[in-house]
Amino acid sequence: MHSVDASCIQQENTGTERTAIIGIAALTPRAVGAEAYWTWVRDTSDGMREPAHWAPDEPAVDVARFGIPPVQARSMARLQLLMLEAADQCLTDAGAGRAGGDDRTDVVVGTCFGLDRQYANALRIAGSGYAREVERAALTLGSPEAAENASQAAEELRGLLQRTLGAAPHDRVGEMASTIPARIASAFGLRGRTLAVESADATSFLALAQAIGSLRAGLADRALVVTGQLRESGVLSSLLRTKGLLGPSAHADDLSEGVGALLLKPLASAERDGDRIYATIADCHVRHRSRPGAFRHETSAERHRDTIRAAHRSAGAGSGTVSYVERTGTAADEADGIELAALEAEFGADGPAFGTVRDRIGRTFAHAGLAAVTTAALALHHRTLPAHRTRSGPVTAAAWAAPAGSAPRRAAVTGASFTGTLCHLILEEHVPPRRPAGGGKPAVARAVPRGAGLPEPIAVIAYAGRFADAEDADAYWQLMLDGHDRLRPVPADRLDRELHYAPGALSLNRSYTELGGHAAVPQSPPPGTGIGAERYAAMDAAQRMTLAVAAELFGRRAGRPLTGRGLIAMAGNLGLAADRQAHVDGSLGELEDRVRELTAFKALSTPELERLLDTARQAYGRPAAPTPDTLDGALASGSAALLAGVYGLDAVPLAVEAACASSLAALDTAMTALRNGTVDYALSGGVELPCSARDMALCSALGLLSHTRITPFDTNADGFTPGDGCALFLLKRQADAERDGDEIVALLTGMGAANDAKSLIAPDVEGQVRAMRQAFAQVAHAPSEVDYLEAHGTGTKVGDRVEITATGRVYGGPDRTRPLEIGSAKGFVGHTFAAAGGAGLLRTLLALRTATLPPNTNLHHPNPALELDTLPAVLGTRAKAWPAAPGRPRRAAVSSFGTGGINYHLLVEEPGPATGGPGRRDALRDDEPKDGTDLPR
């Protein structure tokens, strides 16, 4: 394990260890740079009359200085460019620069809704279907000119969309939200945890909480948090307005844009290293109130006050010590008034001054929380109260008077999400410690060292899953034992072969394969959920899938309640299909304008052209008007918020994206929160449905898909086959699970994470090795005591070879007494993207539970370049008994690696008889072979 100076200074009688803000970046259309931003918010109390947006090419960002190849730059999202700039500004501001080889700095990005490249790619792919309807309409118009030029018009329109929307082989990689933190990590040599998160308008607070949790757990030395919100689609404002989250005007009070970054570090190490400290974060507290039905803001002032009190208790600082409160503002008038009333009731009539960041930079949604924290931190640093409004009018900036005694100046930042999450963050000014007599560094996040020892195991107390045609976990396990894959031609409603299938050809708009591990999306909600037909119809397919799998998981609980504070961390694509579809629907008018410009139809009269467009519109389908439920269905964290509401859980919803490692990244977030004591239980897993025309076409453009079918570790491996799926796991600390009498399925004992910071596409041995070794630093046993590895199994020659090489570096050697068994679920159900780690963990849990080593499938000729004998390791092709080693539990590991150099590695073991679980299967069933030979298929 890395040695970490995990001491912290206790100021007064404060509670939690403090986190120092040592770097700041701020980019808004009205002020770029921390100092310019401070000048703007310091002197402006009511500066917003119109929303603030950048022009498409502003601010200018030089991609060359970040080492980005031109071929990839064409596919980059605009937000990625701005966040790179913000990261550069923040690191430079902290004096960090580009210190390559930093293994202990996390990068956490917070964003919400789709990125411009996602919307453009979706419209380009869907536009092919619209072009076909235009062609058909032209043929039936009754005009010889229209019929003669129908085919030419369709191809002209497709070409026009490709040119104007952009199209490049790297589009699938460039459009992903998790590519942003990965790109930042690569540009600045940061090799810690790398992930993107989303929790609606609480996104900034959850990103900060994730970073602070990692620092407090000793998993990182620094954390770079970057959040941003852009108005990438006019449809977004329409959805927000329909939900009541923006004002009624289509111009004023609209969604504004902004990007910013904070570099965080434990206070003790920041003081030791002589960092400039803007302010310290005493606590970042988030709570969620679950309510059935559509998502909406909390309307209980008492719940707001409970959150405020809990934050101050945790920080060890009473609310009476706060002299400035920065509010993000909710935009919903009723909720905004209730929040303000709660603050006034808690802090008193003669309490702190209230400011609202919304009045200075506008409504920046996912970025609003970080913008507010930046404002408060700069105010503390400059000891100046910024200009703000009161009920009696605007108040100009003024010197911030010191509190009585030796207490530091304190500020609070409060926020709320329309999903029901409440947030309260407490900041303190930094008072440099007294230097010892005679000079030198000051003597010491009176030091109190972090508790020694290994982190507590996390118990899995329930599980569920749905992959390909296996509709629950039991069917999934039977699929594995059968030994045959479930890769089939994707149904026509998901892959229109006339438009999007071109076997054997590389194309920007077509897939060269039709195979996938397709899973049917449920068409009705599970019984007892109380979800109406209109609301269910507005849900994204991933949300429906998650809801069905959750019904299985809670069915296994047999009605046992969950009490205390919880977290629901769901892995998935942060840009949902429903969000992209809403943009496509809202762009129909734009498509029609493009048709009016086609040279192929220049000979048509205006009435003829309008009749043609009307016919095409009817066939293509008129988009439905948005409802308040539409926004809920377009929200990535909506899957988690949905579960909280349906099952009445006091659990904060969070969406996590870390490319193909997303499920383990979400589990890592859940495990860290449990080990830090910030939650009492966590529901975590992943969901994604990539068996679609869009995903298959974009992946084919980069040559990622297999031309036949995925065959991990085989000589013929040439790429992956996409698969749909969802897996969920219910977690508690082991001691709590034993106390509560829960059945413990397995124990999660170690989780390692790293970024290789080298390539956005190619895997790297060193990065995978770092993740594995970090996991083993959290347990007392050696790699040689692990029996089974559920491999990532990417199904490419390079990826497979790199994974086995990294595995050999960690798991190989003379201490291994029997070969490591290696397998991968991907051969059976395909590559399920964000759900891939969940598929691997579910297979591993079921293997431990039944004491059976699962097989590989379609493995006919293991690649000799893997050199498995030197590890030693074996790739089993039939299920077989898993014999227990004397004196220890069966142990396994799960690897999950993602685009952008993101690497996660999880250690798992079966529970012992004392854990309240089924106990180790030291004796096999009477019908099982006793010598570890093959089981029947």
Side-chain angles (χ1 to χ4, degrees), residues 664-916:
L664 292 198
L667 282 159
D668 178 52
T669 296
M671 291 172 65
T672 300
L674 284 164
R675 286 171 167 173
N676 280 342
T678 54
V679 299
D680 301 302
Y681 65 88
L683 181 60
S684 189
V687 60
E688 193 155 358
L689 309 173
C691 290
S692 67
R694 173 189 164 277
D695 283 298
M696 294 175 72
L698 294 181
C699 289
S700 289
L702 197 53
L704 299 176
L705 300 185
S706 170
H707 289 265
T708 53
R709 64 186 63 228
I710 184 172
T711 55
F713 310 118
D714 194 89
T715 300
N716 294 321
D718 68 340
F720 62 80
T721 303
D724 300 332
C726 176
L728 290 175
F729 309 94
L730 185 58
L731 311 176
K732 283 186 181 179
R733 290 178 288 271
Q734 180 181 357
D736 291 350
E738 292 173 348
R739 177 201 64 201
D740 297 340
D742 293 307
E743 177 185 1
I744 297 180
V745 179
L747 297 175
L748 311 182
T749 57
M751 175 75 86
N755 190 287
D756 61 46
K758 285 187 177 180
S759 169
L760 233 58
I761 300 175
D764 176 68
V765 171
E766 296 300 327
Q768 295 180 14
V769 166
R770 277 194 300 275
M772 293 177 187
R773 287 179 175 163
Q774 188 181 104
F776 278 103
Q778 301 170 24
V779 298
H781 63 81
S784 59
E785 296 183 50
V786 172
D787 309 311
Y788 174 71
L789 170 65
E790 175 66 26
H792 180 68
T794 189
T796 66
K797 287 183 172 61
V798 174
D800 290 346
R801 186 174 66 251
V802 166
E803 180 171 11
I804 295 301
T805 299
T807 300
R809 291 260 298 271
V810 176
Y811 284 87
D815 292 339
R816 176 162 292 282
T817 58
R818 61 186 186 191
L820 177 68
E821 298 276 350
I822 298 178
S824 175
K826 289 185 179 63
F828 291 87
V829 297
H831 186 359
T832 53
F833 290 38
L841 177 57
L842 181 60
R843 187 168 114 125
T844 302
L845 295 182
L846 293 166
L848 286 167
R849 192 172 178 83
T850 60
T852 303
L853 290 165
N856 292 282
T857 190
N858 297 325
L859 183 63
H860 304 296
H861 304 286
N863 190 345
L866 302 178
E867 299 182 342
L868 294 168
D869 292 342
T870 62
L871 209 158
V874 294
L875 297 166
T877 56
R878 299 186 67 188
K880 60 185 179 183
W882 186 342
R888 66 167 176 83
R890 295 174 178 85
R891 293 190 174 112
V894 182
S895 282
S896 199
F897 311 130
T899 301
I902 302 173
N903 306 298
Y904 278 83
H905 192 71
L906 173 65
L907 300 178
V908 192
E909 65 183 47
E910 64 181 341
T915 62

Side-chain angles (χ1 to χ4, degrees), residues 30 47 81 100 110 155 251 416 453 516 540 555 590 597 602 625 637 798 865 892:
R30 288 188 169 88
L81 294 172
E155 287 308 307
H251 300 289
D540 186 85
E590 178 184 343
E597 300 170 359
K602 286 296 183 182
S637 61
V798 174

Side-chain angles (χ1 to χ4, degrees), residues 392-487:
S392 59
V395 175
T396 59
W400 190 334
S406 60
R409 294 171 177 84
R410 288 198 178 98
V413 178
T414 186
S417 165
F418 79 89
T419 62
T421 300
L422 300 176
C423 317
H424 195 75
L425 185 144
I426 301 168
L427 289 160
E428 294 174 347
E429 74 171 322
H430 177 246
V431 180
R434 292 186 299 273
R435 292 188 176 273
K441 289 188 176 181
V444 185
R446 293 176 294 162
V448 180
R450 198 188 307 275
L454 300 172
E456 182 177 8
I458 301 301
V460 180
I461 60 173
Y463 59 86
R466 177 178 289 209
F467 294 89
D469 57 3
E471 295 194 349
D472 58 26
D474 293 334
Y476 176 73
W477 182 238
Q478 189 58 52
L479 184 160
M480 299 296 155
L481 296 180
D482 288 346
H484 301 293
D485 71 55
R486 293 298 188 273
L487 307 179

Side-chain angles (χ1 to χ4, degrees), residues 305-685:
R305 294 188 69 181
D306 286 345
T307 303
I308 295 169
R309 292 166 183 161
H312 285 280
R313 281 196 304 270
S314 180
S319 57
T321 66
V322 169
S323 47
Y324 180 71
V325 177
E326 181 68 45
R327 300 174 55 234
T328 62
T330 64
D333 291 340
E334 180 187 10
D336 206 44
I338 289 171
E339 178 190 86
L340 185 58
L343 289 168
E344 291 175 337
E346 179 63 28
F347 290 102
D350 298 325
F354 294 147
T356 305
V357 72
R358 182 183 65 201
D359 292 339
R360 280 96 91 189
I361 65 169
R363 306 181 190 279
T364 54
F365 207 75
H367 176 57
L370 190 133
V373 172
T374 298
T375 301
L378 288 169
L380 286 166
H381 180 63
H382 291 282
R383 298 178 180 175
T384 301
L385 290 172
H388 57 280
R389 283 190 297 170
T390 67
R391 290 182 176 177
S392 59
V395 175
T396 59
W400 190 334
S406 60
R409 294 171 177 84
R410 288 198 178 98
V413 178
T414 186
S417 165
F418 79 89
T419 62
T421 300
L422 300 176
C423 317
H424 195 75
L425 185 144
I426 301 168
L427 289 160
E428 294 174 347
E429 74 171 322
H430 177 246
V431 180
R434 292 186 299 273
R435 292 188 176 273
K441 289 188 176 181
V444 185
R446 293 176 294 162
V448 180
R450 198 188 307 275
L454 300 172
E456 182 177 8
I458 301 301
V460 180
I461 60 173
Y463 59 86
R466 177 178 289 209
F467 294 89
D469 57 3
E471 295 194 349
D472 58 26
D474 293 334
Y476 176 73
W477 182 238
Q478 189 58 52
L479 184 160
M480 299 296 155
L481 296 180
D482 288 346
H484 301 293
D485 71 55
R486 293 298 188 273
L487 307 179
R488 304 287 187 269
V490 173
D493 62 342
R494 300 283 289 276
L495 181 68
D496 187 322
R497 284 158 176 77
E498 179 184 358
L499 291 175
H500 302 302
Y501 177 48
L506 282 177
S507 167
L508 293 175
N509 294 322
R510 295 172 180 265
S511 171
Y512 51 72
T513 181
E514 62 176 344
L515 292 186
H518 168 261
V521 178
Q523 297 302 303
S524 59
T529 56
I531 297 174
E534 183 176 349
R535 183 170 178 235
Y536 191 74
M539 289 181 186
D540 186 85
Q543 295 174 346
R544 296 187 196 177
M545 185 73 78
T546 302
L547 191 63
V549 175
E552 178 198 348
L553 181 141
F554 284 104
R556 295 179 185 275
R557 294 276 297 167
R560 292 172 60 89
L562 288 170
T563 58
R565 293 179 57 193
L567 171 69
I568 305 178
M570 278 298 301
N573 191 316
L574 295 193
L576 292 188
D579 181 21
R580 296 189 295 266
Q581 186 60 47
H583 174 77
V584 170
D585 290 344
S587 301
L588 182 58
E590 178 184 343
L591 293 177
E592 292 179 340
D593 287 342
R594 301 288 174 85
V595 174
R596 294 184 178 99
E597 300 170 359
L598 297 179
T599 58
F601 290 153
K602 286 296 183 182
L604 298 184
S605 67
T606 299
E608 287 178 321
L609 187 56
E610 293 306 315
R611 287 205 314 273
L612 184 153
L613 288 173
D614 187 63
T615 301
R617 189 183 308 124
Q618 297 295 334
Y620 184 70
R622 290 180 179 270
T627 70
D629 290 325
T630 307
L631 184 70
D632 296 1
L635 188 68
S637 61
S639 294
L642 179 66
L643 299 188
V646 168
Y647 292 100
L649 305 179
D650 182 12
V652 175
L654 177 68
V656 177
E657 184 188 313
C660 308
S662 294
S663 284
L664 292 198
L667 282 159
D668 178 52
T669 296
M671 291 172 65
T672 300
L674 284 164
R675 286 171 167 173
N676 280 342
T678 54
V679 299
D680 301 302
Y681 65 88
L683 181 60
S684 189

Side-chain angles (χ1 to χ4, degrees), residues 33-66:
E35 286 306 311
Y37 177 84
W38 169 241
T39 300
W40 173 258
V41 300
R42 179 192 63 199
D43 299 333
T44 309
S45 63
D46 190 13
M48 291 302 301
R49 293 289 180 240
E50 293 290 337
H53 301 148
W54 279 295
D57 57 349
E58 293 179 345
V61 178
D62 180 11
V63 298
R65 64 192 174 95
F66 297 113

